[in-house]
Amino acid sequence: MLNKAPKLKSTIKRKTKGNINVRPASEAMIELLTLLFLNSLAEEAKAKAFEEKSATIRAQHLKAVSKVSLNGAIGRKSEQN
C-alpha cells in the first residue's frame, strides 16, 4: 500500500479550467479526503469479497462496489438493481 497519496495538486490544476491556486491547507484536505474515500472503498470491497467467500479482494469486487461508493461520495442516491 502507498504511504503517501499521489500529488493531487498537479492533477487538480490540470483538470480545472482557468488559473486556480490551491493553498497548502486545501491540498492537505484534498489528500485526506482522497485517502478516506479509498479506505472506505477498500472496506466495502473487503466485505464484498467476504460475501463471495474469497480470501483476496479482486478487481470484480472493486467494480461491484465502486459505482455505489462513487454515487455516495458525490451525493447521489444509489440505485440498486
Side-chain angles (χ1 to χ4, degrees), residues 30-74:
I30 291 168
E31 289 186 13
L32 177 63
L33 287 172
T34 303
L35 289 174
L36 288 172
F37 173 74
L38 290 175
N39 188 19
S40 67
L41 184 66
E43 287 177 5
E44 290 180 25
K46 180 181 175 183
K48 182 72 173 175
F50 184 74
E51 286 176 8
E52 295 180 3
K53 297 178 181 155
S54 176
T56 43
I57 299 171
R58 294 196 170 85
Q60 67 258 20
H61 301 134
L62 281 171
K63 287 179 184 178
V65 298
S66 65
K67 185 174 181 181
V68 176
S69 296
L70 285 172
N71 285 338
I74 293 171

Side-chain angles (χ1 to χ4, degrees), residues 9 12-13 20-31:
K9 190 174 186 178
I12 292 168
K13 282 189 175 185
I20 186 169
N21 292 327
V22 179
R23 293 188 174 214
S26 299
E27 184 180 353
M29 190 62 112
I30 291 168
E31 289 186 13

